Amino acid sequence: MSNVLIIGGGFAGVWSAAAAVRLRESAGVSERDLSVTLVSAGDDMVIRPRLYQAEPEKMRVSLDRVLGPLGVRRVAATVTGVDTGRREVTAVGRDGRPTAIGYDRLVLATGSQLVRPELPGAEHLHNVDTMPAAAALDAHLHRLPTRPDAPGRFTAAVVGAGFTGLEIATELVDRLRVIARPHGAEDQVRVVLVERADAVGPELGAGPRPDITKALDALGVEPRVGVSVTEVRADGVRLTDGTDLAADTVVWTAGMLASPLTADIPAGRDRLGRLDVDEYLRVAGVPGVYAAGDTAAARAEEGHFVTQSCQHAGQLGKLAGHNVAAELLGVDLEAFDPIPYVTCLDLGSAGAVFSTGWERTVESTGETAKARKRMINEVVIYPPVDDPEETLRRADFRISHRDLLEPQAS
């Protein structure tokens, strides 16, 4: 009997498990001869790209309803360490008891996490990196009307004008207006976007920037570029240019790093902490270990590396799951052949921007792009539940989000 062990219940982990089962079944091998186990602290797959929206607690899917029908064994525990020499993972269960789980092949798919700044008053910062954090922000926003009617009560400062910062800043405009309107305070809503670079969306490049700027203007979002935050208070922030900004809500979105568990793997890592992998997603120099999703520094087309995104996490997860099973079954491994890169940036009620390629050539904007974003957010990125046949069909690493989207959009 061989055991595939997958750590992580996000996009990469779930699709790794499904892809391993897919190959096992196509090879006619029994679950007894090749088991697939997934370890995750939570019971749900959190749809992280959607956590900038209202009611984040609804944005999750039961892992058991996705993976249970496939025969994947799920262990509800928090992984505390990986011993690649012994091929063993240590974890703590919900009852507080330690446990050890052996593996023949391991997929590390534990994602990434927000870099938390060491700033005076950092305890006042909100974020949308996890379900608890997004739910805490949502609860905080709904408590704003009970606060004293002071400058900044309905002002939000969003720190970081990258992908996440732009999505949460543009979404907050309407979220705050809905909350403030019954109290006659809609005209007090203000969203300020703070970015240390000299332009918003620095990593998105010049292509989408005119459309982003147009959307920010339409919504009244105030960009403050070339500055950062030096201090946070319960009622505001101080910027590096000495400006004091009254804001009862401060959301931090700047910087992501791969899961700390990557440090347990004796291999090279990039500046984001992602593990060096070969074209098959095997961790360089560490037999039996694969990385997928935000933990993998996989090379993409034209010399680029993959992004920390659900688009790449899903494809990497499927390929890693296929290859760990293939290695154990004596089947040829498949090399990573990235599906063409696309970006769909949500801009709240101002629409969206859909772009293609690493140069991010704008393909559609406004309501056309927004309809595409809705389809991605509400349909495409969700795995099937209680439908093993469809889950296994979609576990093919050759299928991308865009493949699932285009038939719907046509």
Side-chain angles (χ1 to χ4, degrees):
M1 175 179 176
S2 299
N3 179 33
V4 170
L5 180 63
I6 298 159
I7 311 175
F11 290 100
V14 165
W15 286 115
S16 287
V21 172
R22 182 178 188 274
L23 184 59
R24 181 185 71 193
E25 293 205 353
S26 68
V29 175
S30 71
E31 182 180 337
R32 180 175 180 178
D33 290 328
L34 179 62
S35 66
V36 180
T37 302
L38 183 139
V39 184
S40 176
D43 293 329
D44 300 321
M45 173 181 168
V46 176
I47 311 299
R48 259 176 81 179
R50 290 197 61 194
L51 296 183
Y52 63 93
Q53 297 177 307
E55 301 182 305
E57 66 280 357
K58 295 181 179 179
M59 297 163 193
R60 52 189 173 187
V61 178
S62 166
L63 288 170
D64 288 339
R65 292 185 64 187
V66 177
L67 299 178
L70 303 183
V72 175
R73 173 181 174 238
R74 188 172 70 87
V75 177
T78 299
V79 174
T80 56
V82 179
D83 187 332
T84 59
R86 300 181 61 175
R87 297 201 176 196
E88 186 177 85
V89 167
T90 54
V92 176
R94 291 182 179 166
D95 58 3
R97 296 180 180 177
T99 186
I101 308 170
Y103 66 84
D104 293 294
R105 296 294 182 275
L106 174 70
V107 178
L108 186 67
T110 44
S112 58
Q113 62 185 36
L114 186 69
V115 177
R116 303 181 187 279
E118 295 182 1
L119 289 172
E123 67 272 14
H124 299 298
L125 292 170
H126 292 275
N127 68 76
V128 290
D129 188 47
T130 65
M131 178 65 75
L137 171 61
D138 199 53
H140 163 83
L141 295 176
H142 283 88
R143 289 195 299 267
L144 291 175
T146 67
R147 293 194 169 203
D149 185 6
R153 178 171 59 150
F154 290 108
T155 296
V158 177
V159 186
F163 201 99
T164 301
L166 287 165
E167 292 200 323
I168 184 64
T170 51
E171 190 77 11
L172 276 175
V173 174
D174 285 330
R175 287 176 68 177
L176 284 168
R177 285 174 179 168
V178 167
I179 293 167
R181 188 175 298 131
H183 306 277
E186 187 175 356
D187 60 348
Q188 297 177 26
V189 170
R190 182 185 181 197
V191 177
V192 181
L193 186 58
V194 179
E195 171 55 51
R196 65 190 302 177
D198 59 4
V200 296
E203 79 277 18
L204 295 173
R209 191 163 296 134
D211 295 291
I212 293 170
T213 301
K214 181 180 177 180
L216 297 179
D217 288 344
L219 293 170
V221 175
E222 305 169 35
R224 292 293 307 274
V225 298
V227 294
S228 190
V229 172
T230 61
E231 181 184 354
V232 187
R233 304 181 303 276
D235 60 354
V237 296
R238 173 163 289 184
L239 305 181
T240 51
D241 64 0
T243 301
D244 284 314
L245 174 65
D248 281 18
T249 305
V250 184
V251 184
W252 183 270
T253 71
M256 300 293 291
L257 287 176
S259 160
L261 280 174
T262 57
D264 284 0
I265 312 298
R269 289 180 287 278
D270 70 1
R271 63 179 181 82
L272 300 177
R274 301 182 299 180
L275 293 161
D276 293 339
V277 296
D278 66 12
E279 66 269 33
Y280 305 109
L281 305 186
R282 298 177 297 197
V283 176
V286 187
V289 178
Y290 290 68
D294 289 1
T295 64
R299 292 186 179 276
E301 66 269 22
E302 301 175 9
H304 292 277
F305 285 87
V306 296
T307 60
Q308 291 178 312
S309 64
C310 65
Q311 175 187 167
H312 281 139
Q315 189 186 3
L316 291 169
K318 293 171 187 179
L319 184 64
H322 174 93
N323 280 344
V324 289
E327 194 169 26
L328 291 169
L329 294 172
V331 176
D332 289 342
L333 275 61
E334 297 284 347
F336 181 48
D337 182 18
I339 293 161
Y341 180 54
V342 299
T343 304
C344 198
L345 174 71
D346 201 341
L347 294 170
S349 57
V353 178
F354 185 85
S355 61
T356 59
W358 295 95
E359 70 285 356
R360 293 185 171 89
T361 301
V362 174
E363 186 175 293
S364 61
T365 61
E367 187 52 40
T368 300
K370 186 72 171 187
R372 191 182 290 254
K373 183 68 172 183
R374 288 195 193 100
M375 182 63 68
I376 293 169
N377 272 6
E378 297 171 12
V379 178
V380 172
I381 62 177
Y382 279 80
V385 296
D386 306 323
D387 190 347
E389 183 177 345
E390 176 62 12
T391 301
L392 293 181
R393 184 189 75 82
R394 289 178 55 177
D396 185 344
F397 61 87
R398 300 171 188 85
I399 295 178
S400 72
H401 285 163
R402 194 166 192 182
D403 292 329
L404 297 169
L405 176 65
E406 293 301 343
Q408 299 285 345
S410 62

